[in-house]
């Protein structure tokens, strides 16, 4: 499963600011998915709350400056992903203690654990490449982000 | 005491497989031990103390993983990790 299979091209944000906290970032990215028409607008709060509840159980800051905030939700029938980039980094209570620069927010259907796992597998494999990570962190525009995701899918960064 | 080596196979039993939460629990448990701990699946070998590396395995329910540990507490480490996996990460597993 490649990035372009599950990341929503209209739900990218290259400008996540350092003043934002964990909830701000999550709201920002869920808004992006809503504005892209991938979730019903009246489910916005329910989805934000579900993602925040999941964070309470344990941070999704998985190390290497990456976080994967997520939830399963009945309002989607296929996995939806928003990608955010912060130049300065946001404190996310990550396992390695470092700040997070790259956010992959996932909303998955309730009955497809395989797709969710495939998405996580893909994100983690491709982000193990330092060059790819570093380029992504330097993205200035949403188009930059998309182009990098496409290049990574094409194997440019050896994943 | 010279470092010992231990290995064992464990099968993933929780229905949703090794997504972020189980990987987090496994990595945190692995970090409690001094030994170097690796998990092998289909020729892929990853550091058990790194969540992001664990996620690259994409281990679904029913997948068999080989655990290897080297160090003074190798046996104890694998015992603890095997227990965690066999319990289906049940202690704190949720539907998220």
């Amino acid at each position: 499963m490649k990035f372009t299979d599950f990341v929503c091209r209209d739900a990218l944000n290259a400008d996540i600011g350092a003043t934002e906290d964990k909830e701000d970032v999550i709201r920002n990215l869920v808004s992006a998915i809503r504005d892209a028409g991938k979730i019903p607008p009246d489910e916005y709060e329910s989805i934000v709350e579900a993602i925040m509840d999941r964070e309470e159980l344990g941070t999704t800051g998985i190390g290497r400056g990456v976080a994967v905030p997520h939830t399963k939700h009945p309002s989607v029938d296929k996995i939806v992903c928003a990608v955010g980039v912060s130049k300065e980094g946001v404190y996310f209570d990550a396992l390695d203690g470092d700040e997070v620069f790259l956010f992959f927010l996932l909303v998955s259907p309730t009955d497809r654990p395989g797709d969710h796992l495939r998405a996580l597998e893909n994100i983690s494999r491709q982000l193990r490449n330092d060059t790819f990570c570093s380029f992504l962190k330097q993205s200035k525009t949403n188009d930059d982000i998309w182009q990098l995701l496409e290049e990574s899918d094409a194997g440019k960064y050896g994943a | 005491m010279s470092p010992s080596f231990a290995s064992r196979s464990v099968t993933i039993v929780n229905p949703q497989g090794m997504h972020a939460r189980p990987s987090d629990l496994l990595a945190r448990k692995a970090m409690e031990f001094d030994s170097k701990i690796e998990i092998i699946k289909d020729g892929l070998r990853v550091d058990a103390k790194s969540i992001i590396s664990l996620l690259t395995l994409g281990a679904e329910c029913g997948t068999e993983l080989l655990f290897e540990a080297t160090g003074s507490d190798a046996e104890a480490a694998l015992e603890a990790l095997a227990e965690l996996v066999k319990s289906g990460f049940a202690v704190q597993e949720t539907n998220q």
Side-chain angles (χ1 to χ4, degrees), chain B residues 2-95:
Chain B
S2 63
S4 52
F5 174 81
S7 85
R8 69 169 77 182
S9 278
V10 192
T11 304
I12 301 294
V13 300
N14 55 310
Q16 298 175 27
M18 284 239 328
H19 56 107
R21 184 86 187 114
S23 297
D24 181 46
L25 291 170
L26 194 74
R28 285 179 195 270
K29 179 58 67 181
M31 290 197 302
E32 289 174 17
F33 299 93
D34 292 327
S35 298
K36 169 171 151 167
I37 307 172
E38 290 176 311
I39 299 187
I40 299 107
K41 175 195 164 219
D42 299 334
L44 222 54
R45 177 180 285 269
V46 304
D47 175 8
K49 298 180 184 180
S50 156
I51 304 181
I52 208 168
S53 299
L54 289 173
L55 287 173
T56 66
L57 297 176
E60 296 195 36
C61 180
T63 303
E64 190 173 307
L65 300 176
L66 178 63
F67 283 57
E68 287 186 358
T70 309
S72 55
D73 51 12
E75 213 25 87
L78 292 199
E79 183 62 41
L81 293 178
E83 262 322 295
L84 185 62
V85 175
K86 281 192 215 155
S87 75
F89 304 91
V91 175
Q92 285 133 304
E93 174 76 323
T94 70
N95 201 25

Side-chain angles (χ1 to χ4, degrees), chain A residues 75-131:
Chain A
S75 64
V76 298
D77 56 14
K78 114 186 215 0
I79 192 168
V80 176
C81 178
V83 178
V85 176
S86 165
K87 283 191 202 3
E88 301 89 349
V90 175
Y91 179 69
F92 223 77
D93 194 22
L95 188 68
D96 58 8
D98 290 342
E99 279 145 332
V100 174
F101 302 87
L102 303 173
F103 303 87
F104 288 78
L105 182 136
L106 296 162
V107 184
S108 307
T110 48
D111 57 355
R112 304 245 282 269
D115 282 0
H116 181 76
L117 212 55
R118 291 283 86 70
L120 288 176
E121 184 184 340
N122 188 62
I123 291 168
S124 54
R125 278 199 193 170
Q126 303 209 49
L127 287 170
R128 284 198 318 176
N129 182 288
D130 289 331
T131 308

Side-chain angles (χ1 to χ4, degrees), chain A:
Chain A
M1 202 160 141
K2 296 176 183 253
F3 281 127
T4 49
D5 292 331
F6 62 93
V7 173
C8 176
R9 188 176 188 156
D10 298 320
L12 307 176
N13 186 336
D15 275 323
I16 306 263
T19 52
E20 295 179 51
D21 65 12
K22 191 185 271 207
E23 184 168 343
D24 291 329
V25 176
I26 288 170
R27 283 186 174 279
N28 192 313
L29 293 172
V30 180
S31 300
I33 297 178
R34 177 198 57 201
D35 297 343
K38 298 294 183 185
I39 54 167
D42 52 9
E43 297 288 1
Y44 174 82
E45 281 303 330
S46 163
I47 290 176
V48 169
E49 192 176 321
I51 296 176
M52 290 304 297
D53 284 348
R54 169 56 185 84
E55 288 296 319
E56 288 292 309
L57 286 181
T59 178
T60 60
I62 54 177
R64 291 178 58 89
V66 180
V68 288
H70 60 274
T71 188
K72 297 191 174 40
H73 202 270
S75 64
V76 298
D77 56 14
K78 114 186 215 0
I79 192 168
V80 176
C81 178
V83 178
V85 176
S86 165
K87 283 191 202 3
E88 301 89 349
V90 175
Y91 179 69
F92 223 77
D93 194 22
L95 188 68
D96 58 8
D98 290 342
E99 279 145 332
V100 174
F101 302 87
L102 303 173
F103 303 87
F104 288 78
L105 182 136
L106 296 162
V107 184
S108 307
T110 48
D111 57 355
R112 304 245 282 269
D115 282 0
H116 181 76
L117 212 55
R118 291 283 86 70
L120 288 176
E121 184 184 340
N122 188 62
I123 291 168
S124 54
R125 278 199 193 170
Q126 303 209 49
L127 287 170
R128 284 198 318 176
N129 182 288
D130 289 331
T131 308
F132 176 58
C133 259
S134 156
F135 283 174
L136 206 49
K137 283 183 201 170
Q138 292 165 51
S139 307
K140 294 191 175 34
T141 67
N142 296 348
D143 285 341
D144 287 346
I145 296 178
W146 188 257
Q147 185 175 333
L148 284 165
L149 296 181
E150 281 186 323
E151 286 174 357
S152 185
D153 281 347
K156 185 166 176 181
Y157 304 101

